[in-house]
Every structure is written in structure tokens, then in C-alpha cells.
Amino acid sequence: MEAAEYVAESPAGGPDAVAALLPMVRRIVAARVADATAAEDLVQETLVRVLTASGRVEPGMLEPYAIATARNVVATSWREQDRQRRNQHRVVDLRVPDPPDGELLAAEERSAVAEALTRLSERDRQALLEHEVSGRDTRALATELGSTAGAVAAQLHRARARLRVEYLLARDRVEPPTERCRPVLFALSSGDRRRQREVDAGRHLLECDVCATLSQPLLERAPQRDDEVRIAIGADADVVAARQAARDLAGRLGCFSATDLTLIATAVSEVTRNIVKFAGSGEVVVEVLDHPRKGVQVTARDAGPGIPDVERALQDGYSTYAGLGLGLPGARRLMDEFAIASEVGRGTTVTMTRWCGQR
Amino acid sequence: MTGPRLVSILRQGSYLIASIHTALDDTQMTAFQDDLVERIGRDRARGVVIDVAALDVLDSFATRTLRTIGEVARLRGAVTVVVGIQPEVAFAMVALGMDTGSVHTALDLEEGLAFLDRVVGSRRPVTTLRGGAG
């Protein structure tokens, strides 16, 4: 009792008594923890705890309390170490660290997007920002603009398509060389096939290198269509590839006989050879048609020298190389519809269709 | 050339049997023509069978090439017969307005060899190894 009174009565005795425990605590901890620095940390922590508790501890019990506390502190540190070891793999950052120029590229991206945004019309920009940044839905925007949700969605679709085009232009810092570039790129970006036909996008891409390069990402983001095949033509082997692709696509329709398929493949072979022979390069697009009947349409276009006398080229036996002169007239006989548009110096487009069913 | 062979030219007695195994592009077709014409001289062939059964398309260029081979072979003293034109291919050739000119045709390899035996054999009896001809 006296000791208790002594501790209680002399407030200075608390810290002193605790300090007296230091060597013993050190011994206990050192016996369990090898690392000197870690051990010292634990010793300090033990003493702090003992000190805060010293007022509550019965006199004479301070030493056993300190021993128990030291053991607990050590045990806790082991548990923590163990937990850390077990969870260490979770904090490993497996992401590739940003490349040193990452920031710069990101800044360029940002400025390209910002630049592209400024090139949009005020109305498109507002709608886009309201929707994408402020997160307002199309219905809310529609009531505000006195329009319908569908119309707003369509407008946003166009604005995004335009933004993609302007972004690509701003990113590559190019100015479209012709007036046709923007409409063509926009048609490709929006994925509107009717519009693409209207602006004759395929032909423009053959003629304009800038657009051919810029359009790559736009074409890649378009969903892969299974009712259309596009084959770039540049060598003899592509003639075979084109006619096989046409046969495959037409065959999938299921309405053509084996003979029909061979006729189509032969016609494709003839017009594709003309591209290789006279223009060097071009493209062949094979599409499935649904209206007015099922059928296939083949478009073969090049940006070559063009045909000076289309009428003559369509006559049997007219050949400018050592052929049979049956290419174009033959292909015309093999298909149901056949149209040729050629301009000297600009190139040639042959469009031919074969409908399902008996002729 | 890599991969499986596109064409094969086999000697059978005094005949050459040339088979096209897959679709050929124009360059390959021309190479085939040159090889075959060269083999006619080297093997002193009197008859040539060209088997096109594997071709799904005989367009104007392929037809022209076959005609050229036939004409050149004739000038070199060999008779050429094209065999195995598929029915659909024949339709397409008719629609396209093509024929094989002076080159003979036969239904299949067997008919082609029989034809050569008649034509070449009538001029000069030839002892041919007919094994595996069918």
C-alpha cells in the first residue's frame, strides 16, 4: 500500500519508475527481435504504453506489466510483418511505368482534342460537352433545345464523327489538300454508307494520299461487316484473292448455283486484272445487296490512266495488250448489270451486279 | 517456290502430263507455260496433257495461256490436249466467249491419253508406259 501511495504521491516517480524498466525491456525485446533499429522502436513503443498506463497499474505490478506489454508489442509486430509478407504481392504494380515521353504525348493529345473541339460548330460543341462532360442525358438536352431525344442523339453522333476527323487533322497537323477531303473523312467517320457513296469516298481515298493515311483509324473502328469484302489490288496474286473473295461472299448468300459463282468469279477476275494491268493498283469491293432482290455487287476502282474510248474497250476483240480482248465485254456478258465510268487521267470504276435467281 | 507445288509436270513415255493443282495468278501461269514449253524440248515429248480439273476459274488470260502453249507445242511437234475443264468453268468460258482455239480438249486424263494415242500413235507407233494413266 505504501508503495502505491508512493507512486501516486510522487508524480515524478511515474516516469522515473518507467525509465528504470528500460534495460529489462531492452533485454526482452532484443531476445526476440534481431534487428537493432526495429528492436529499439519496439522498446520505445513498449515504454510509451507502460508510461500511459502507469497511473492505472497497481504498485509493484509495473514490472510484470512492462514484461507483458513488451511481449505483446513484439508479437504484434511479428503478426504485422507476417501479414505484410502475405499481402506484399498485392501491392506490386505490374503496370508498365509511363514512358518518359508519356506526359508530352498526353499533352499533345489534349491539345489536339482541344483544337478539334474549337473547330466544331458552336451548337455541336455545346451539345457534346453537355452530354459527355456534364453527363446530361439526351432527353434533358432535348427538352432544353425543344427537340427530341432521337434528334439530339443523331446530332451527337454527327458531332462525334466530326470531332474524330478534326482530331486526326489536328493531331497530324495537316490541312486537307482538297475540298472533298473533309466530307469524305466525315462520311467514313460516321460510318454512313449512303453518304460514302454520295461523296464517292472509295475513289477519293485512291486519289488522295493524305486521306488514305488519315482514314486508316476511321476505317478500323468501323465494325467488321460480313456482307462486304474489300480487297486492295496491287499485284497479280490479288486477282486470285479478289475472285476467291467474291465467290466466297456470293456463295454465302446460298442462292447462286455453282455455275453462277464461277461466272461471278470469272467476271471479277477480268475486271481485277485490268486494274493490275493498266493502273497498277486499286481496290475491289464486293457487297451483298438486299434490294430490290438479293445479289452481289462488285465495284472495281483504280486511280489509273483511265480508258480514252470506253465504247471501244467494251467491244469484243479490242485489246491494248496481248489479251483476247474479252476482259470488259466478257465480264459484261457474265453479269446482270454492268456500268463503267472512266475519266482519262483520273481512273476507272467498274460496277457490276449479279442478281439471285434465274436469268 | 515455297509451300506445296502449284503445278507438276510428269513424263509418261513420250507424253508429258502437266497438272495444275491450285489457282494460279498470271505470273505463275506464265511461268508454267515457259516450264512446259521447255520440258517439251528437253523430254522430246510428242504429246502433252494439261489437267486443269483443279481450276475453278479459267478466265481470258488462263485460256489465252493454254492456247499459246498449244500453239507453241504444235510448232515444236507435240500435240496438246487440255483435260478436266469443270462444267461450271465450261459454262463461264462459253458466256465469256472464249474457246481453246486449236487446242484439243478431252473429258479427263484417261480420255486425253487415249486421244493422244490415236493422234500421235497413228503417225508413229509409240511404246508408252501406260501404268497409272487412269
Side-chain angles (χ1 to χ4, degrees):
Chain A
M1 278 314 252
E2 242 178 314
E5 268 158 30
Y6 169 76
V7 170
E9 273 166 23
S10 59
D16 284 351
V18 172
L21 295 170
L22 184 60
M24 183 198 67
V25 173
R26 272 213 177 108
R27 231 174 20 250
I28 295 170
V29 174
R32 289 166 170 78
V33 181
D35 182 58
T37 324
E40 190 55 32
D41 281 351
L42 294 175
V43 168
Q44 295 304 328
E45 196 184 329
T46 308
L47 291 180
V48 167
R49 286 193 188 191
V50 174
L51 189 60
T52 37
S54 61
R56 290 180 277 116
V57 177
E58 298 216 352
M61 291 305 286
L62 203 58
E63 190 178 304
Y65 183 84
I67 293 169
T69 307
R71 281 186 186 149
N72 282 346
V73 166
V74 171
T76 309
S77 92
W78 280 344
R79 257 202 308 280
E80 241 158 50
Q81 266 177 24
D82 189 43
R83 191 183 306 134
Q84 230 169 33
R85 202 167 37 239
R86 272 186 287 117
N87 287 322
Q88 206 157 30
H89 68 278
R90 292 175 199 258
V91 298
V92 173
D93 190 351
L94 290 174
R95 285 171 303 179
V96 181
D98 285 346
D101 55 352
E103 191 119 340
L104 193 66
L105 288 175
E108 267 182 29
E109 289 273 286
R110 269 198 300 278
S111 75
V113 173
E115 168 73 27
L117 269 171
T118 64
R119 294 191 200 167
L120 294 185
S121 75
E122 181 62 31
R123 194 168 154 268
D124 282 353
R125 181 167 56 241
Q126 282 304 334
L128 209 52
L129 290 178
E130 286 282 330
H131 185 68
E132 303 288 352
V133 183
S134 313
R136 310 214 15 218
D137 63 12
T138 47
R139 203 171 325 149
L141 288 171
T143 25
E144 191 173 300
L145 295 166
S147 169
T148 66
V152 171
Q155 189 205 343
L156 286 169
H157 177 76
R158 284 194 302 274
R160 280 191 212 103
R162 221 173 277 286
L163 185 68
R164 280 191 288 272
V165 172
E166 295 301 343
Y167 162 76
L168 289 172
L169 290 168
R171 187 198 61 182
D172 292 2
R173 292 198 184 83
V174 288
E175 199 45 45
T178 73
E179 286 174 4
R180 297 187 55 218
C181 294
R182 270 201 171 87
V184 166
L185 290 172
F186 175 64
L188 293 171
S189 177
S190 62
D192 184 341
R193 294 222 284 171
R194 194 177 54 83
R195 199 115 191 89
Q196 288 170 19
R197 260 196 288 279
E198 275 170 18
V199 296
D200 205 354
R203 158 147 306 277
H204 181 72
L205 292 188
L206 286 177
E207 290 172 349
C208 177
D209 290 340
V210 172
C211 289
T213 316
L214 283 176
S215 64
Q216 280 311 312
L218 296 176
L219 291 174
E220 279 161 19
R221 61 173 288 288
Q224 279 295 317
R225 308 177 57 97
D226 57 0
D227 60 349
E228 182 187 301
V229 200
R230 199 172 281 270
I231 307 113
I233 306 300
D236 275 347
D238 299 330
V239 176
V240 178
R243 74 182 182 218
Q244 280 170 352
R247 178 192 284 272
D248 287 349
L249 190 69
R252 259 185 276 153
L253 275 178
C255 61
F256 287 117
S257 68
T259 303
D260 288 334
L261 295 177
T262 301
L263 297 179
I264 293 167
T266 309
V268 171
S269 195
E270 298 297 341
V271 294
T272 312
R273 172 171 300 106
N274 280 353
I275 294 180
V276 177
K277 281 266 187 298
F278 298 114
S281 66
E283 71 167 352
V284 170
V285 181
V286 188
E287 291 166 86
V288 169
L289 298 183
D290 280 323
H291 301 286
R293 272 189 286 160
K294 276 183 172 261
V296 282
Q297 184 172 61
V298 178
T299 309
R301 55 168 80 85
D302 63 62
I307 304 171
D309 191 345
V310 173
E311 282 304 313
R312 250 183 98 196
L314 284 172
Q315 282 167 21
D316 275 346
Y318 173 75
S319 177
T320 47
Y321 65 101
L324 291 173
L326 287 172
L328 287 179
R332 177 155 76 162
R333 279 196 292 275
L334 294 173
M335 302 294 275
D336 292 328
E337 281 169 31
F338 184 96
I340 180 165
S342 189
E343 202 177 316
V344 172
R346 274 201 65 199
T348 305
T349 303
V350 175
T351 312
M352 47 192 199
T353 309
R354 174 100 189 181
W355 302 106
C356 286
Q358 292 297 313
R359 289 228 252 184
Chain B
M1 206 180 289
T2 55
R5 293 172 54 141
L6 306 172
V7 296
S8 59
I9 302 174
L10 304 174
R11 190 177 161 182
Q12 178 97 27
S14 61
Y15 301 153
L16 287 178
I17 299 173
S19 303
I20 301 174
H21 301 304
T22 182
L24 301 183
D25 66 35
D26 294 2
T27 312
Q28 292 161 342
M29 199 76 196
T30 309
F32 167 68
Q33 166 192 305
D34 296 346
D35 285 354
L36 187 53
V37 168
E38 194 264 336
R39 282 289 296 273
I40 291 170
R42 178 142 56 92
D43 292 352
R44 310 188 71 78
R46 304 291 309 277
V48 179
V49 182
I50 302 176
D51 186 354
V52 296
L55 295 189
D56 66 340
V57 167
L58 273 174
D59 59 10
S60 62
F61 186 85
T63 308
R64 185 176 73 89
T65 309
L66 292 180
R67 280 168 68 161
T68 305
I69 293 172
E71 290 297 316
V72 173
R74 190 178 61 80
L75 292 171
R76 307 259 288 153
V79 176
T80 303
V81 56
V82 172
V83 305
I85 295 179
Q86 297 297 307
E88 309 87 56
V89 176
F91 267 117
M93 288 174 71
V94 172
L96 205 52
M98 296 180 303
D99 63 57
T100 55
S102 62
V103 177
H104 304 281
T105 52
L107 185 64
D108 55 19
L109 189 55
E110 191 176 350
E111 293 287 329
L113 287 169
F115 171 82
L116 285 183
D117 280 349
R118 279 201 305 278
V119 177
V120 180
S122 65
R123 274 190 256 154
R124 197 192 77 171
V126 199
T127 47
T128 54
L129 300 166
R130 289 289 305 275

